Amino acid sequence: MVVVSESLFFLLYVSVFAVAALACFASLTRLQQITDSDTRWGLRALLLTSGGWATAHVGYLVSPTTSLKLGWYTIGLVVGLATVGAWLYFCSAYTGRTYHRNPTYRRLAVAVYIALTAVKLTNPLHQGYFTATAIATPFPHLSVYTGPLHWTAMGLSYAFAFVGYFMLLELFTEIDLDTRALFVLIGITAFPAVFDLIGYTTPFLLDMTYEPLGVAVFAVGVAFVYTDRLDAVQLAAEQDDPVIALDVDKQIRDTNQAARTVFPDLVGAEGTQLEMTLPQVANCLGSDDPILTVQKEGNTRYYRVTEAPYGTANTSLGRTIVFTDVTDREQYSEELKRQNERLERFASLVSHDLRNPLNVAQLRFELLREEAEVPENNDHAAAVERSHSRMEELIEQILTLARDGKPVDQWDAVLLSSAVEECWEMVDTGTAELRLEDDLTFKADEKRLQRLFENLFRNALDHAGPDVTVTVGALPDRSGFYISDDGPGIPEGDRESVLEPGYTTRKEGTGFGLAIVDEAVTAHGWEIYVTESDDGGARFEITGVQTLA
């Protein structure tokens, strides 16, 4: 009867650790469902080391000789230590930290592992880690007596393991999703320490390490039951935006507080179909426009709706829907549309309601001068002609200003040198000189770019004289180009105001030339800076240009 009892006890121990090893190895086939590659790699390492650790326990139990038992026991010590490293790697990757990628931490971990492994492998020489005695109850096995080096190594191992627990617990308490199941699974990995304590202090269990059992339960729980939950928590932790987690049947599985605040209908909606609870969200996902408009307490908010799968491309477990608040951008876009409409109306007003009366005035003045036989050198007639010409120039530049203020929607590939040379030929440059430095290929609206260069060239001629030298080239340290001259330059206090409409230092100037340049720059999404050239003249730097290889 005693023999049967001992055999059952022996079979029970061997079976438990064998099942744990098989569970760890079998779970490896399910890891392709984990979305994050680093988390997947860390969990794979954890399963391999834990499975190897449990296998070493089986070898330790079933080996017929003392030397073989000692060999398997030592292998278990080495592989079990590696499990701590795999655990830390998994915890760091899963919680979004970068410790597992830090070269310094990696080198430190390898150094500690090598040092502790050397202590374990050299135990036959110093006997400071453990000693073993063969005993017959409850079945033939080795009774291991641990030494001071064992307790030192175990203390370090548990300290490192608790670092991983802290990272996970911090994530689970901060994330606004249901993490109770994961709390339980993580807790199970630590529960075998209780068995360790019972085995060390009482005769009811063998004095050995039971941690592989906890990792096996964790592995099975994650790989076969809670993979989608593991992925959902990790994806939600990466952002503070509203998040809805769906299962493979598009049923609402979980939501965070931000989502329930935006969509009160989500409260208690777990297990319902998305299109039934939030049809507007389902319709938005199925449309070409990812922007969802939400009215709440008299305010309008805009959200860009995106969805991401759990698992890999080949193994889908469900999806997360993320709502990114783009209210400021959408409001700006709406304001831009209204501004463009006002510009269109203004351009129409200038084009028809001002140009037509001006044309009539010019025609009637010519008829009046012919009927009254006003001589060509009449001062009054010359003043009227100059006024008409100035009004026509103002109307044309105001129209250009209105047109160039619209955002660019047609982009062309432009070679800086070609565009500059063509624009230079369109301006009456006289004896002025053009110098081209570094070239650049970039995207722009060719017509507005032409007006930009022509107005800057005219500005240089107007303020620096007919013998000015204008230099154009690519910026050396930023994405963009510059136009500079060797004229008198622009005083530092005026460098911002020169771009404003109506600013001019010439009596006959309109004050719109540089304002048109500024509007063209803004319409492209670029920025312009006015500074001093190397020759002491004016220098205009245009940055934020999208260059092409």
Side-chain angles (χ1 to χ4, degrees), residues 99-115:
Y99 302 135
H100 60 291
R101 289 184 172 272
N102 187 296
T104 301
Y105 291 146
R106 283 186 167 188
R107 287 192 291 268
L108 180 61
V110 170
V112 171
Y113 179 76
I114 291 174

Side-chain angles (χ1 to χ4, degrees), residues 88-235:
L88 286 174
Y89 188 104
F90 164 75
C91 293
S92 173
Y94 180 67
T95 57
R97 292 170 169 85
T98 59
Y99 302 135
H100 60 291
R101 289 184 172 272
N102 187 296
T104 301
Y105 291 146
R106 283 186 167 188
R107 287 192 291 268
L108 180 61
V110 170
V112 171
Y113 179 76
I114 291 174
L116 292 179
T117 298
V119 170
K120 295 179 180 185
L121 293 178
T122 57
N123 182 69
L125 300 177
H126 52 72
Q127 298 290 307
Y129 202 89
F130 71 90
T131 56
T133 303
I135 60 175
T137 58
F139 52 81
H141 69 283
L142 291 180
S143 178
V144 177
Y145 301 93
T146 53
L149 294 179
H150 164 82
W151 294 108
T152 301
M154 190 177 73
L156 285 173
S157 298
Y158 273 106
F160 288 139
F162 276 114
V163 171
Y165 284 117
F166 174 78
M167 288 190 281
L168 292 174
L169 293 176
E170 184 181 44
L171 171 66
F172 292 162
T173 53
E174 288 183 354
I175 194 68
D176 189 29
L177 290 179
D178 185 1
T179 58
R180 287 173 294 182
L182 295 180
F183 258 119
V184 172
L185 283 179
I186 297 300
I188 287 175
T189 63
F191 189 71
V194 177
F195 296 157
D196 292 352
L197 183 61
I198 294 174
Y200 180 73
T201 58
T202 73
F204 299 111
L205 293 175
L206 293 186
D207 184 9
M208 60 189 304
T209 303
Y210 294 87
E211 272 77 6
L213 304 181
V215 177
V217 174
F218 172 76
V220 172
V222 168
F224 291 92
V225 182
Y226 291 111
T227 304
D228 54 349
R229 176 70 54 176
L230 191 79
D231 246 7
V233 169
Q234 186 177 40
L235 290 171

Side-chain angles (χ1 to χ4, degrees), residues 161-408:
F162 276 114
V163 171
Y165 284 117
F166 174 78
M167 288 190 281
L168 292 174
L169 293 176
E170 184 181 44
L171 171 66
F172 292 162
T173 53
E174 288 183 354
I175 194 68
D176 189 29
L177 290 179
D178 185 1
T179 58
R180 287 173 294 182
L182 295 180
F183 258 119
V184 172
L185 283 179
I186 297 300
I188 287 175
T189 63
F191 189 71
V194 177
F195 296 157
D196 292 352
L197 183 61
I198 294 174
Y200 180 73
T201 58
T202 73
F204 299 111
L205 293 175
L206 293 186
D207 184 9
M208 60 189 304
T209 303
Y210 294 87
E211 272 77 6
L213 304 181
V215 177
V217 174
F218 172 76
V220 172
V222 168
F224 291 92
V225 182
Y226 291 111
T227 304
D228 54 349
R229 176 70 54 176
L230 191 79
D231 246 7
V233 169
Q234 186 177 40
L235 290 171
E238 296 173 356
Q239 54 206 311
D240 297 325
D241 297 322
V243 174
I244 299 175
L246 304 180
D247 61 19
V248 290
D249 298 321
K250 296 185 179 180
Q251 291 183 339
I252 298 172
R253 182 179 180 86
D254 208 348
T255 60
N256 63 357
Q257 182 59 47
R260 295 191 293 273
T261 300
V262 176
F263 305 104
D265 291 342
L266 288 174
V267 177
E270 288 77 6
T272 63
Q273 292 288 329
L274 177 68
E275 57 267 25
M276 298 296 295
T277 304
L278 294 176
Q280 70 274 33
V281 174
N283 293 335
C284 186
L285 288 172
S287 69
D288 296 330
D289 184 9
I291 304 302
L292 178 69
T293 303
V294 177
Q295 299 286 345
K296 187 174 178 62
E297 298 178 355
N299 296 322
T300 302
R301 308 296 299 180
Y302 299 90
Y303 294 91
R304 184 175 70 251
V305 185
T306 56
E307 55 180 342
Y310 307 144
T312 60
N314 298 325
T315 308
S316 178
L317 301 173
R319 311 186 75 80
T320 54
I321 303 174
V322 181
F323 300 83
T324 305
D325 195 326
V326 292
T327 302
D328 291 342
R329 190 194 70 180
E330 288 298 311
Q331 289 177 343
Y332 174 75
S333 179
E334 291 294 327
E335 177 58 31
L336 201 58
K337 290 179 182 178
R338 290 191 291 269
Q339 179 180 339
N340 288 337
E341 291 173 357
R342 291 194 296 268
L343 286 172
E344 289 285 354
R345 292 194 296 269
F346 179 70
S348 176
L349 172 67
V350 171
S351 180
H352 298 91
D353 295 357
L354 292 182
R355 190 185 292 278
N356 288 343
L358 176 61
N359 291 338
V360 171
Q362 289 174 322
L363 178 60
R364 291 297 181 94
F365 176 70
E366 289 297 329
L367 294 174
L368 178 62
R369 189 161 64 175
E370 290 176 2
E371 291 177 0
E373 298 181 353
V374 178
E376 292 289 337
N377 59 354
N378 185 278
D379 291 340
H380 299 295
V384 172
E385 283 186 316
R386 286 195 301 273
S387 297
H388 285 168
S389 297
R390 181 168 176 78
M391 290 173 63
E392 188 169 15
E393 183 181 4
L394 284 169
I395 290 173
E396 184 61 35
Q397 294 204 2
I398 290 173
L399 282 172
T400 300
L401 193 65
R403 288 193 299 267
D404 286 1
K406 301 176 185 177
V408 172

